[in-house]
Structures are given as C-alpha cells and as structure tokens.
C-alpha cells in the first residue's frame, strides 16, 4: 500500500460528509480536529459537500439551528464528551452525526446516549485520524513535551497522546507492524509496549488486516538521542521555511512582504513546484525559481499575441491555468526573497560554515576561533526567536542568548565538552550571559 496519510484523512472526511447527504450541514470540530480539516480540505470543497457552517465544539450557539445537520468530528476525550452532551440536551441542531478520531471508551458512549433525550443522534462512528497530515509521508500530533522530559503525570499523558496518534495512523493505513524501540529510552519502551498491547491484546480484531508478521515495521526512537541535528542550520526548501519563517498547518507568515499577502499556503498536495523542490538545497532552489519565472514570462508573452478569434479562444481556455501559475510564481518568489533577506541579515551562511567546522572538522582550535569571532559579531542577531526579557538561569538574571550564538556554543560544548578543556570554560564565560550558564 502506498503511504499517503493526506489522502487517507481526506477520504475519511469525505465519508463523514457524504454519510449525511442532503441538506445543509454544520461541521463541528474541536481544537485539534480543526487543524486536520484545515490542512486537507479547502473552503471550496466544504461548500461542495454542502457545509455552510464550521464551528468549534466549545462554542455553543445561542439560537437553535435545527435546519442544519451537525457533523461532529472530535477526539474521544471526556471534555469533548461533556460538550457533546450539552449540545444534545439543548437540541441545537436538527440531527447529529458523531465521528471520533480514535477508539471511544464505553462509559463515554453511555454518557452521550443518556444525554440524547430528543433522539437526534443518527450515527456514531470511529474514524481513525488522530493526527495532522502535513504531507503524504509526514504527520504531526500538534503537541510538544517541552522542557518537561523527566517522568511525570504530565509527560505520561503526553506519551499516551503519542500512542493514540500512532495507533490511529496504523489503523487508517491498515497496518499491523512488528514493533521495535530504542532500548535505552524508557519513553520509547512505554510507547512501544502500549501500542503492542492495543494492537495485539486489547483490540486484535481491529488490527486483523491479514498481513504476514514483519510486512511493516514500526521503529520508535527517542529524539533526545541526537541533540546535534536540530542545532544545525537547514538548507533545503521545506526545512529552511520551517526553521526561518515557521510553518503551521501548511501556512507561512511573511513578515517582510511588500504586498498585501502576509500569509501563504505551502502544501505539496496542490503545489507542483513545491512538491518537486521541497528537498532541494538553497543553490538548486534559486535556479529552479529562475526557471519557473522564465517559463511564466514565455507564457505571458504568448498570451499577449492575440490577433485572431483562435488566439482569443486559446487564451480563454488557458486563462485558469495562467492565473494559477501566476499565483505560484508570485508565492515562491516572495518566499525566496523573504528567506534571502533573513539569511543575509543574520549572516546565516557564515554561521553555517562555523557549525560545519565544529561538527565535522578536526581542528579544535580553528573551530573555537570561529565560534568566538561570531559570538562577538553584532551581525549574528537573535531576531524573533527570543524576546528581550530576562530569564533566571541558575539563580541569576541575565539576557537570553542570541539564538544563533546559543546554537554554536551548544554545538562546540557537545563536540568538545567531554575533553575537560579550557576552551569550553572560556566559551561559556565569553557568552552573552557571562558565566551564568
């Protein structure tokens, strides 16, 4: 089976909306599932499915809207269950079709059934999509462990959220994998054991896809095992946009754009140029954008040569594609321009050369000199990564380290900190926190 998590989730949503065909629909989503829908479905597609209202589950209308059918797509949590019960008791919408993104506990179903006094629930179904499909081969669970990495109730709940997301992915793809995990990580062990318990002990019937053992492999790794890679500057298109500008649900904010378009959608599913070049490096990307602009200019000149009825007919037929290509060219030129401006302002090329020398080079003295020079260079700015407020570190108040300088210092300490050399002490002392780190 081809791995395409975006297509699987989109098919699920079409199923939800088609199951209650006929009549106007209200799409009721929680804070998590609204991100799923926004990534794989456009407003045009929602209108085609007769969805005229999209509401968050937490917002309960003051007026009754019983001419609408409510299609509810939510995570199976106690909080969401209570809100659904409130909806049902107040009989806001004419009919309710309930879809949950993962397995629903029986006590929650009983609670919902008891609240359905008007008997307006027409369907209850589990559709396994407790993850946000970013790309066909990439998904997100939309949460972070943050700094709380030690075992605690909060981190265990976060681990359970990982289990929910991965198990729903496996069910949606119809995979029952052999599970392997990193032995040195207790969190990986917990995730692997919980997924195994769910797939092989608690719900073996759900995972009975008639596959041979070992057809698929689930490998659970601890991100803390590799602290170096996240500290290195990225130079491929998707990674650059994510690190320098930030991508949230396939949307990018342009802070320095000269036109009115401050937010753009960047998704490989509907952007052929992005799909072809998302893993291209910075140099190849510049050439690809130039070729894109040249091709568009050639089409523009051709469309200007309208001298006959046939030319007019050809122009009208190609106009939608022409407009689409015009928007694609403008979007990627704006993106590259924004990236280039920030790279120059923050001297990221220079910083990256120093990073590579620290990580891959063999000359510790040269690496140390490069890092110290950049720590003293005013061009290496903190930008928008950190605020200018003071933070308390080891009992002392100090200015937050500029982001790029902090990464360089950490890389050097990770590479040479175990040698007990004097350079690490000097590096920490000469940093913007002056010895308080």
């Amino acid at each position: 089976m081809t791995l395409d998590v975006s297509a699987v989730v989109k098919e699920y949503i079409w199923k939800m909306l088609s199951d209650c065909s006929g009549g106007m629909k209200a799409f009721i989503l929680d804070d998590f599932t609204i991100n799923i829908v926004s990534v794989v479905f456009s407003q045009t597609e929602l209108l085609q499915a007769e969805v005229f209202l999209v509401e968050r589950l937490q917002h309960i209308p003051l007026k009754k809207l019983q001419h609408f059918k409510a299609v509810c797509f939510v995570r199976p949590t106690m909080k969401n269950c209570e809100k659904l019960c409130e909806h049902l008791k107040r009989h806001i919408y004419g009919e309710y079709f309930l879809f949950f993104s993962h397995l629903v506990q029986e006590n929650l179903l009983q609670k919902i059934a008891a609240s359905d006094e008007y008997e307006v629930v027409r369907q209850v179904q589990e559709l396994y999509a407790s993850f946000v499909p970013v790309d066909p081969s990439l998904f997100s669970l939309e949460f972070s462990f943050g700094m709380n990495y030690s075992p605690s109730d909060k981190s265990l709940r976060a681990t359970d959220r990982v289990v929910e997301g991965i198990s729903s992915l496996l069910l949606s793809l119809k995979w029952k994998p052999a599970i392997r995990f990193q032995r040195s990580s207790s969190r990986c062990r917990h995730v692997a054991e919980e997924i195994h318990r769910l797939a092989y002990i608690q719900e073996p019937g759900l995972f009975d896809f008639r596959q041979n053992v070992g057809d698929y492999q689930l490998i659970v790794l601890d991100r803390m095992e590799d602290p170096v890679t996240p500290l290195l500057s990225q130079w491929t298109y998707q990674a650059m946009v994510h690190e320098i500008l930030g991508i949230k649900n396939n949307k990018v904010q342009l802070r320095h754009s000269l036109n009115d378009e401050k937010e753009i959608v960047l998704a490989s599913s509907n952007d052929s140029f992005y799909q072809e070049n998302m893993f291209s490096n910075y140099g190849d990307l510049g050439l690809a954008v130039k070729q894109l602009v040249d091709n568009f200019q050639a089409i523009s000149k051709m469309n200007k040569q309208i001298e006959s009825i046939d030319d007019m007919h050809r122009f009208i037929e190609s106009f939608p594609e022409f407009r689409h290509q015009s928007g694609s060219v403008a979007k990627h030129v704006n993106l590259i321009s924004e990236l280039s401006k920030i790279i120059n302002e923050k001297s990221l090329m220079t910083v990256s050369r120093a990073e590579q020398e620290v990580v891959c080079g063999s000359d510790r003295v040269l690496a140390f000199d490069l890092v110290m020079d950049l720590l003293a260079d005013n061009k290496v700015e903190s930008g928008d990564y950190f605020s200018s407020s003071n933070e308390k570190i080891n009992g002392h108040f100090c200015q937050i380290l500029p982001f790029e300088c902090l990464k360089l210092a950490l890389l050097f300490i990770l590479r040479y900190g175990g040698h007990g050399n004097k350079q690490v002490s000097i590096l920490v002392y000469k940093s913007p926190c002056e010895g308080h780190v």
Side-chain angles (χ1 to χ4, degrees), residues 317-372:
E317 284 187 338
S318 64
F319 186 67
E321 179 62 26
F322 177 76
R323 286 192 61 185
H324 176 75
Q325 191 165 357
S326 173
S328 178
V329 170
K331 174 170 68 175
H332 291 289
V333 168
N334 285 339
L335 261 179
I336 295 299
S337 175
E338 182 102 352
L339 289 172
S340 178
K341 185 178 296 184
I342 295 174
I343 288 169
N344 291 331
E345 286 177 354
K346 298 185 177 182
S347 301
L348 295 185
M349 283 286 192
T350 304
V351 172
S352 184
R353 283 195 290 271
E355 291 172 355
Q356 294 301 317
E357 182 61 40
V358 171
V359 173
C360 303
S362 57
D363 191 334
R364 187 173 66 190
V365 175
L366 174 60
F368 175 73
D369 290 341
L370 285 172
V371 173
M372 292 303 295

Side-chain angles (χ1 to χ4, degrees), residues 31 37 49 114 136 151 167 212 224 250 286-287 355 417 427:
D31 290 338
V37 175
S167 59
N212 296 322
M224 291 291 286
N250 288 343
L287 296 175
E355 291 172 355
L427 179 65

Side-chain angles (χ1 to χ4, degrees), residues 53-209:
L53 181 64
V54 178
E55 286 281 9
R56 291 183 183 267
L57 179 65
Q58 290 74 14
H59 174 258
I60 299 180
L62 298 177
K63 295 181 180 179
K64 292 185 182 295
L65 300 169
Q66 295 183 359
H67 54 293
F68 279 95
K69 296 178 180 179
V71 181
C72 303
F73 176 42
V74 298
R75 287 184 60 223
T77 64
M78 179 60 72
K79 182 179 177 181
N80 286 343
C81 175
E82 290 171 351
K83 281 295 180 182
L84 284 173
C85 291
E86 189 176 347
H87 265 273
L88 295 173
K89 288 177 180 177
R90 293 179 57 182
H91 193 191
I92 301 296
Y93 299 100
E95 295 178 344
Y96 284 81
F97 297 79
L98 308 184
F99 297 92
F100 294 96
S101 65
H102 200 249
L103 302 176
V104 191
Q105 296 178 4
E106 187 175 346
N107 64 316
L108 297 184
L109 291 175
Q110 291 174 349
K111 192 169 184 178
I112 291 171
S115 301
D116 188 18
E117 300 171 358
Y118 297 96
E119 298 183 352
V120 291
V121 176
R122 296 289 177 262
Q123 186 176 351
V124 179
Q125 195 171 345
E126 295 170 347
L127 293 179
Y128 309 108
S130 208
F131 54 90
V132 178
V134 179
D135 278 321
S137 58
L138 177 66
F139 68 94
S140 169
L141 300 180
E142 293 292 301
F143 81 97
S144 171
F145 285 108
M147 298 301 293
N148 186 19
Y149 199 77
S150 58
S152 65
D153 290 341
K154 184 177 179 181
S155 65
L156 287 175
R157 286 196 300 271
T159 305
D160 291 340
R161 180 70 189 86
V162 172
V163 173
E164 177 188 325
I166 294 178
S167 59
S168 70
L169 174 73
L170 297 176
L171 286 167
S172 67
L173 295 173
K174 296 181 171 56
W175 289 357
K176 188 176 183 177
I179 304 170
R180 304 180 185 277
F181 63 91
Q182 183 178 320
R183 183 179 297 177
S184 60
S185 170
S186 60
R187 178 167 282 120
C188 288
R189 176 184 293 274
H190 177 67
V191 168
E193 288 176 347
E194 288 301 310
I195 294 175
H196 181 271
R197 182 179 294 111
L198 181 65
Y200 289 87
I201 301 173
Q202 293 179 353
E203 301 288 346
L206 274 179
F207 286 84
D208 184 14
F209 303 123

